[in-house]
Amino acid sequence: LIKYTPVDHPEYALVQEELVKICDVAQYNNEAIRARENRQQIMEIMMSFESRSRIDLLSDDNKRRYIKDGSLLRQCRRGPKEFHFWLFSDKLLYGQRNPLGLYVLNREISLSKCYINTYDSMEKYKYSFMVESPAKSFV
Protein backbone atom coordinates (compact mmCIF):
# COMPACT_ATOMS: atom_id res chain seq x y z
CA LEU A 1 0.00 0.00 0.00
CA ILE A 2 2.80 2.42 0.89
CA LYS A 3 4.46 1.64 -2.43
CA TYR A 4 1.40 2.84 -4.36
CA THR A 5 0.56 5.83 -2.15
CA PRO A 6 2.03 9.10 -3.45
CA VAL A 7 4.22 10.94 -0.93
CA ASP A 8 2.04 14.07 -1.26
CA HIS A 9 -1.17 12.11 -0.51
CA PRO A 10 -2.97 13.48 2.61
CA GLU A 11 -2.97 10.04 4.29
CA TYR A 12 0.61 9.04 3.42
CA ALA A 13 1.88 9.71 6.97
CA LEU A 14 -0.99 7.62 8.42
CA VAL A 15 -0.21 4.73 6.06
CA GLN A 16 3.46 4.94 7.12
CA GLU A 17 2.54 4.81 10.83
CA GLU A 18 0.31 1.79 10.28
CA LEU A 19 3.05 0.04 8.35
CA VAL A 20 5.38 0.47 11.33
CA LYS A 21 2.71 -1.02 13.63
CA ILE A 22 2.19 -3.99 11.30
CA CYS A 23 5.96 -4.60 11.18
CA ASP A 24 6.12 -4.48 15.00
CA VAL A 25 3.30 -7.04 15.30
CA ALA A 26 4.96 -9.29 12.71
CA GLN A 27 8.27 -9.11 14.59
CA TYR A 28 6.54 -9.92 17.90
CA ASN A 29 4.81 -12.92 16.30
CA ASN A 30 8.05 -14.19 14.76
CA GLU A 31 9.83 -13.95 18.12
CA ALA A 32 6.97 -15.80 19.83
CA ILE A 33 7.13 -18.56 17.20
CA ARG A 34 10.92 -18.87 17.64
CA ALA A 35 10.52 -19.06 21.43
CA ARG A 36 7.83 -21.75 21.12
CA GLU A 37 9.96 -23.78 18.69
CA ASN A 38 12.95 -23.46 21.06
CA ARG A 39 10.85 -24.68 24.04
CA GLN A 40 9.58 -27.59 21.94
CA GLN A 41 13.12 -28.56 20.93
CA ILE A 42 14.29 -28.39 24.55
CA MET A 43 11.32 -30.52 25.67
CA GLU A 44 12.18 -33.15 23.03
CA ILE A 45 15.77 -33.20 24.30
CA MET A 46 14.58 -33.58 27.89
CA MET A 47 12.36 -36.50 26.92
CA SER A 48 15.25 -38.21 25.12
CA PHE A 49 16.89 -38.85 28.53
CA GLU A 50 15.94 -41.81 30.66
CA SER A 51 13.91 -40.75 33.69
CA ARG A 52 16.70 -41.42 36.23
CA SER A 53 19.05 -38.89 34.65
CA ARG A 54 16.48 -36.45 33.22
CA ILE A 55 16.94 -32.82 34.24
CA ASP A 56 14.57 -29.87 33.95
CA LEU A 57 15.83 -27.64 31.15
CA LEU A 58 12.73 -25.42 30.96
CA SER A 59 12.73 -23.93 34.47
CA ASP A 60 14.88 -20.87 33.70
CA ASP A 61 12.15 -18.43 32.60
CA ASN A 62 12.60 -19.26 28.91
CA LYS A 63 16.08 -17.71 28.85
CA ARG A 64 17.81 -20.90 27.76
CA ARG A 65 18.28 -21.34 24.03
CA TYR A 66 19.08 -24.59 22.29
CA ILE A 67 22.02 -24.12 19.92
CA LYS A 68 23.21 -27.46 18.53
CA ASP A 69 23.73 -31.13 19.29
CA GLY A 70 25.68 -33.99 17.82
CA SER A 71 28.00 -36.88 18.46
CA LEU A 72 31.63 -36.28 19.36
CA LEU A 73 34.51 -38.48 20.41
CA ARG A 74 35.66 -37.86 23.96
CA GLN A 75 39.10 -39.01 25.02
CA CYS A 76 38.74 -41.50 27.89
CA ARG A 77 41.39 -43.54 29.73
CA ARG A 78 40.97 -46.50 27.37
CA GLY A 79 40.79 -44.39 24.24
CA PRO A 80 38.25 -42.27 22.36
CA LYS A 81 34.60 -42.94 23.16
CA GLU A 82 31.53 -41.57 21.39
CA PHE A 83 29.15 -39.36 23.37
CA HIS A 84 26.22 -37.20 22.32
CA PHE A 85 26.56 -33.51 23.23
CA TRP A 86 23.87 -30.83 23.55
CA LEU A 87 24.90 -27.17 23.52
CA PHE A 88 22.61 -24.55 25.04
CA SER A 89 23.16 -20.85 25.61
CA ASP A 90 24.13 -21.50 29.24
CA LYS A 91 25.22 -25.15 29.53
CA LEU A 92 26.71 -28.15 27.82
CA LEU A 93 25.31 -31.65 28.38
CA TYR A 94 26.67 -34.97 27.26
CA GLY A 95 25.51 -38.53 27.56
CA GLN A 96 25.38 -41.98 26.03
CA ARG A 97 22.54 -43.88 24.42
CA ASN A 98 21.30 -46.89 26.38
CA PRO A 99 19.99 -50.14 24.79
CA LEU A 100 16.42 -48.75 24.88
CA GLY A 101 17.40 -45.78 22.69
CA LEU A 102 17.22 -43.19 25.47
CA TYR A 103 20.21 -41.21 26.70
CA VAL A 104 21.88 -41.45 30.08
CA LEU A 105 23.15 -38.03 31.14
CA ASN A 106 26.84 -38.19 32.05
CA ARG A 107 27.49 -34.57 32.86
CA GLU A 108 25.95 -31.10 32.91
CA ILE A 109 28.53 -28.30 32.58
CA SER A 110 27.75 -24.64 33.15
CA LEU A 111 29.23 -22.50 30.37
CA SER A 112 29.82 -19.62 32.79
CA LYS A 113 32.40 -21.83 34.56
CA CYS A 114 33.83 -23.46 31.45
CA TYR A 115 36.72 -22.76 29.07
CA ILE A 116 37.38 -24.17 25.61
CA ASN A 117 40.97 -24.39 24.40
CA THR A 118 42.59 -25.80 21.30
CA TYR A 119 44.29 -29.14 21.73
CA ASP A 120 46.87 -30.00 19.09
CA SER A 121 48.56 -33.04 20.65
CA MET A 122 45.97 -35.48 19.24
CA GLU A 123 47.35 -35.69 15.70
CA LYS A 124 44.99 -38.50 14.73
CA TYR A 125 41.98 -36.20 15.17
CA LYS A 126 42.15 -33.01 13.14
CA TYR A 127 39.69 -30.90 15.15
CA SER A 128 40.50 -31.51 18.81
CA PHE A 129 39.66 -29.15 21.65
CA MET A 130 39.71 -29.27 25.42
CA VAL A 131 36.73 -28.45 27.61
CA GLU A 132 37.84 -27.31 31.06
CA SER A 133 35.51 -26.78 33.99
CA PRO A 134 35.73 -27.12 37.78
CA ALA A 135 33.61 -30.31 37.64
CA LYS A 136 35.25 -32.07 34.68
CA SER A 137 37.86 -31.49 31.99
CA PHE A 138 38.19 -33.54 28.83
CA VAL A 139 39.40 -33.59 25.23
Side-chain angles (χ1 to χ4, degrees):
L1 184 62
I2 193 91
K3 193 189 276 188
Y4 298 106
T5 305
V7 177
D8 59 347
H9 191 278
E11 293 184 353
Y12 183 81
L14 181 62
V15 171
Q16 252 184 337
E17 288 174 25
E18 296 307 315
L19 178 61
V20 168
K21 289 178 185 176
I22 289 170
C23 289
D24 289 345
V25 169
Q27 182 178 358
Y28 176 82
N29 285 339
N30 289 338
E31 289 173 10
I33 289 168
R34 272 192 293 278
R36 182 181 50 79
E37 289 172 347
N38 183 60
R39 281 191 309 276
Q40 180 64 34
Q41 180 69 38
I42 291 173
M43 179 60 79
E44 289 173 12
I45 292 168
M46 282 174 49
M47 299 311 292
S48 72
F49 288 104
E50 67 175 16
S51 59
R52 289 185 328 206
S53 65
R54 188 173 297 150
I55 59 172
D56 183 6
L57 296 169
L58 291 173
S59 63
D60 292 338
D61 301 326
N62 297 325
K63 293 178 185 176
R64 179 171 294 121
R65 288 181 302 107
Y66 162 76
I67 298 173
K68 192 161 184 76
D69 71 279
S71 294
L72 296 171
L73 293 176
R74 183 180 148 234
Q75 183 63 40
C76 298
R77 287 187 189 106
R78 296 182 189 156
K81 194 172 183 181
E82 187 173 305
F83 287 86
H84 198 87
F85 285 78
W86 294 266
L87 179 62
F88 298 92
S89 56
D90 63 336
K91 63 178 62 191
L92 176 68
L93 307 176
Y94 69 93
Q96 291 179 290
R97 194 178 289 273
N98 69 15
L100 299 174
L102 295 173
Y103 288 97
V104 177
L105 180 66
N106 285 62
R107 186 77 59 175
E108 173 184 1
I109 299 171
S110 172
L111 293 183
S112 66
K113 300 173 185 170
C114 176
Y115 297 95
I116 308 294
N117 292 310
T118 59
Y119 195 78
D120 298 328
S121 64
M122 290 184 67
E123 296 169 9
K124 183 178 177 182
Y125 302 102
K126 188 176 178 181
Y127 301 107
S128 298
F129 57 90
M130 178 177 272
V131 177
E132 298 179 272
S133 76
K136 185 79 169 175
S137 295
F138 56 88
V139 176

